[in-house]
Amino acid sequence: MIPAGPATWSYEGYDPDRERLREALCTLGNGVFATRGALPECTADEVHYPGTYAAGCYDRLTSHVAGRAVENEGLVNLPDWLALRFRPRDHRGPADWLHPDRARTLDHRCVLQLERGVLERFTRYQDAQGRLLAVRQLRLVHMAEPQLALLRTDFTAENWSGELDVESALDGTVRNAGVPRYRDLNGAHLVDVHPGRAGPHGITLRCRTRTSDLRIALAARTTSPDPVRAQVLDQHTARAAQLLHLPMAEGRTVTVDKTVALYTSRSPAIGDPLWAAVDAVGHAPGFDELLASHLTAWRQLWRRAELDVPGEAGRILRLHLFHVLQTLSPHTAELDVGVPARGLHGEAYRGHVFWDELFVLPYLNLHFPEVSRALLTYRHRRLGAACRAARDAGHRGAMYPWQSGSDGREETQRLHLNPRSGRWLPDHTHLQQHVGSAIAHNILRYAEATGDTEFLHTKGAETVLQIARFWADRAAYDGDLGRYRIRGVVGPDEYHDAYPDADRPGIDDNAYTNVTAAWVLARAVVLLASLPEPRRVELSERIVLDDGEEEVWRDVAHRLYVPFHSGVISQFEGYAGLAELDWDAYRRKYDDIRRLDRILEAEGDSVNRYRASKQADVLMLAHLFSPGELASLFRQLGYAMDDTGWRRTVDHYLRRTSHGSTLSGLVHGWVLARARRSEAWTFVHEALTGDIADVQGGTTGEGIHLGAMAGTLDLVQRGLTGLRTRDDALSLDPAPLPELTGSGYGFTIRYRGHWGVRLRLSHGRLRITVPMSDRAPIRVELPDRAVTVRPGESWELLLDRSPASDSLRASG
Ligand code: BGC
């Protein structure tokens, strides 16, 4: 047994109430597909929910709720490859299949070995006849061979001899039923399910998705080095199964290995998925060899994402990193997929892609830039759909969907269920057009971090220009104000989707939307000017850029309206007129007021009436922009925003936010680390524990919160170091948060072709080490000085602002 330590995450004892949370957090994946940490002997019920999801594998179904037909596209729960059940058999015949809810579990333990990317499970079952069976399992979703998964099981008969029946299956009877709120929606995505056999030890299952017509095929080989009798069962159902009869002698251990291949018609380099799956399993080496190549792949990943933060925070960050790497691995770079907000770990939000990539790409840019590029390419491939959406709404340019799936159309549900009131309500969150600015922001930051002008000047520029064009057209000039306004939107806050008692959705001039739009417009003008002449001509021809357009962009970039009240940036126009909520009364009345919108709706009220936000909205600006950038953005817009004004704004929203999204704690922690350090830790702590403690009241079991997980990594990497990658330099402006990083922390980044650049901050010093290579030296800037670090050198810089001559020492 591996001891619990920084490299493991373990759960002791069997706790049905926490099982779904464990399943989500013990998910194993490789960026191509992922499987929840369900027990292989369990099928979906109230407690257990096995689920396997392949990146980008969606299907669209119509359901009938609240008297309406609604269409939803969701990430499909694929056939369960893990299924393996067992029961002792003696002269009296077979017992029941052992199951944790029906048999006694004397010991039960699950250990996620983060560094190795394997899940270990150990259970001692006692059946009704008192027979003790120890079950030890090791599973993995292969990180080097991304179509393969393995399950090794060691069975030990502790106090009996006889036979053990082991049934290994590929279960195609599954459906999408992992989120109770969606229970009224159609979840039957798999059709034409055909079990089959492949050779003496092999079973297969093929099927397709109902409307997207993706073909899915699995093949499994289940073997034991011990002599066993095996038979492939009759294939009458949507489940392929093979039965093994293992002779068991008291005290002896028998091993069973299940090797599985999973292909879909989206998998690269194949013809028929079934043929590919059978071929892959047929040629797959044995368990030990596959384990070795899997461990090598994980070792390489950890090296590229080295993170050294001490204590419990470090342990949690490694878990976050683990789940980020399993959802978005180097294999993702080969796929046409976006960033699924809830990982590949469950069915919440139906596997959709939101603005959450804003919290994910900045981390990936400095470790796996090829993955960032692929994720941005996912957006570029759907630029046509975004332009069509803009056109349909009467605008030019690209209007990206708030929720995106397979083809880039708007996937936001039109009705959502308030579980508190039981009412289906209209969902207006698709009005979050700020997602376009997030995409443009990510493209420009990616290019700054990587220097990838090839991408920036081609797909990147085309996307950014179309997003800018949308904003320029979307903004309408208001002669009375002498400014441009963007009306009828929803901001990141999401609670405010209309004015109180209004008969149409949307609010006007969301400050976050307008300021980020102004930034995109200004950057688009600069980008256009910086394109090589032939490319500028080509792109202008391609998108049919009018002569006067650039001038309009410049004008809108300088004259977008930002509302203020009492020296505070207003979240939107009219915010100042909203009622104050009696926060204390609501806190007294309800245990948890994170989802205040649902509480108020269930009370017959509406959150639209109050100065109450779900999550950081205005404050998001300080997550995206450094204090200097933010000041210059407000200057560009002709507003005075000094430090005092910003602090007043922070205070205002801090007292009026319910943190109903895991992103909220993260952003508040990030912002407060600079604005009000003493209060930052509470929020950073909330961001760190969001999923492990399931702070959003049971939502983690439906999928991890990938944005918050990656965001915490980025908090260490950029938030607390002030690391920026602009102007072809690495600049740093550290803001220490000792509760998080102890007396020192470090990490490794990949920067402009330098692999393994190490940064370590401890005891008021920054050490930067650049490995030997033929790349250009790196310019490192601190607020008061700059140095140039050549490959093969290591520099130590004192971080206090004493005269530069005292504070700089070369040691390499
Ligand atoms: C948040 C959004 C986020 C989405 C997906 C929502 O609860 O309010 O900001 O994009 O979850 O993570």
Side-chain angles (χ1 to χ4, degrees), residues 218-231:
L218 296 98
R221 175 182 79 194
T222 308
T223 56
S224 170
D226 296 282
V228 294
R229 284 187 298 118
Q231 74 192 90

Side-chain angles (χ1 to χ4, degrees), residues 341-342 349 354-356 402 432 492 494 614-615 660-661 663:
R342 305 299 286 274
Y349 290 134
F354 296 62
W355 73 326
D356 301 49
W402 170 240
Q432 287 184 79
E494 289 194 338
K614 176 182 177 188
Q615 64 197 85
S661 158
L663 297 173

